[in-house]
Amino acid sequence: MTLRVGAHTSIAGGVHNAVEEQREYSGNCGQIFSHSPQVWQDPNIEDENATQFREQSADNDIGPWVIHSSYLVNLCTPKDDLREKSIGSMQKEVDAADRLGIEYVNVHLGAHTGAGVEQGLDNAASALDELDVPEGVTVLVESDAGSGTKLGGDFEHLAAVLDRSEQDLEVCLDTAHAFAAGYDLSTPEGVNATIAEFDEVVGLDALACVHLNDSKHECGTNKDEHAHIGEGHIGDDGMGAFVNHEAIRDVPLVLETPSENGKSFAWNIDRVKELRA
């Protein structure tokens, strides 16, 4: 299967512009925000631009695409008002994905803020169950770095939500987050062990997407700060082993690497292609 690797791209000036930006990076899959992720806002998508996005993605064989939900969404929250806002925001995201022909909507579980792990997981599963997810769209629960009361850092959290929810959910594994949460991906042995544990706890059949990021911080620090591919604490050995692992070879890889030190998404996509044997 063709390597699917791309980047998180901007919809500034219209969602269709994300396709051209992806082409500039030489990516063939990708991720977008449907609006500013820092505020409660409806997706910013015009009908004409949605049509252009679908057509240009198909013409250039770019996909799958992922919509990343707002950073304000907290599915685990015990607060009724935040819960309702989160559910409403997610409903708008899955509807936007349907309009755009996008397969996935990605979401962090959020923080239980004192309600406790089990209650937080129950809250997340029941919140997701209130969504009317269009056919052809799948919600992905993303692994987390696990700081504070945030859930999703342990694979068991992801498995619990998939088990407790009535939705047909799948998972997005973020390599930097998993590393920060204590799963060592810096060596081939560590990669093998982590993927084996993911398979045992969650199941590789539920892995729909990977956020491929290196980490600026050491394993187990719970610090979420992304680095260029191969230039963080995961490094070339870990990244090379990960992207070449048999279980990962057909999974789309979406980069959320920084643009700094003269290196952009294009540099990181090229690096992934070089590491892929």
Side-chain angles (χ1 to χ4, degrees):
M1 183 174 177
T2 301
L3 170 64
R4 289 284 159 181
V5 58
H8 185 110
T9 48
S10 172
I11 67 165
V15 66
H16 60 294
N17 289 331
V19 182
E20 183 57 34
E21 184 179 345
Q22 198 67 249
R23 290 184 64 202
E24 292 173 2
Y25 299 146
S26 297
N28 59 6
C29 66
Q31 179 175 270
I32 60 170
F33 291 122
S34 69
H35 58 85
S36 171
Q38 307 287 357
V39 295
W40 296 113
Q41 188 179 51
D42 289 348
N44 183 23
I45 300 168
E46 301 289 341
D47 288 342
E48 181 180 353
N49 291 340
T51 299
Q52 290 176 291
F53 176 88
R54 292 194 303 269
E55 292 176 348
Q56 291 177 21
S57 293
D59 290 346
N60 291 283
D61 188 28
I62 297 179
W65 285 94
V66 181
I67 290 179
H68 194 300
S69 64
S70 168
Y71 291 142
L72 300 181
V73 168
N74 186 349
L75 301 175
C76 295
T77 182
K79 300 176 181 178
D80 290 341
D81 58 341
L82 180 54
R83 175 184 171 88
E84 290 308 309
K85 284 184 177 181
S86 297
I87 293 169
S89 178
M90 283 297 295
Q91 186 62 56
K92 291 171 184 175
E93 300 288 23
V94 296
D95 290 341
D98 186 41
R99 287 178 61 203
L100 292 167
I102 288 179
E103 295 92 326
Y104 302 118
V105 173
N106 181 76
V107 65
H108 296 269
L109 292 177
H112 66 71
T113 62
V117 171
E118 291 305 314
Q119 186 60 56
L121 295 172
D122 281 344
N123 291 346
S126 63
L128 289 166
D129 284 348
E130 294 199 29
L131 299 178
D132 181 12
V133 181
E135 185 178 354
V137 177
T138 301
V139 174
L140 306 183
V141 179
E142 182 178 346
S143 64
D144 199 271
S147 62
T149 66
K150 290 181 179 179
L151 300 182
D154 294 342
F155 291 162
E156 286 80 6
H157 296 168
L158 306 176
V161 172
L162 266 62
D163 182 61
R164 297 177 195 185
S165 174
E166 297 177 0
Q167 298 282 8
D168 186 15
L169 306 172
E170 294 185 322
V171 171
C172 174
L173 177 65
D174 187 305
T175 52
H177 294 173
F179 188 71
Y183 297 96
D184 189 1
L185 294 168
S186 64
T187 66
E189 295 77 15
V191 168
N192 288 338
T194 297
I195 291 177
E197 183 170 352
F198 182 92
D199 190 27
E200 180 179 354
V201 175
V202 181
L204 284 166
D205 58 338
L207 181 61
C209 180
V210 165
H211 282 170
L212 191 71
N213 302 300
D214 211 324
S215 174
K216 290 187 177 181
H217 301 281
E218 294 182 356
C219 184
T221 59
N222 300 120
K223 293 181 178 180
D224 177 15
E225 193 173 5
H226 301 171
H228 294 301
I229 300 300
E231 297 197 348
H233 285 276
I234 297 177
D236 278 348
D237 286 349
M239 281 291 169
F242 186 86
V243 300
N244 285 292
H245 194 284
E246 186 62 30
I248 303 300
R249 292 187 67 85
D250 292 344
V251 180
L253 311 174
V254 176
L255 305 180
E256 299 171 321
T257 47
S259 292
E260 59 187 17
N261 302 325
K263 295 171 182 174
S264 67
F265 281 131
W267 184 93
N268 282 279
I269 288 173
D270 285 344
R271 190 73 192 104
V272 174
K273 293 175 179 178
E274 290 170 358
L275 289 172
R276 183 71 168 254

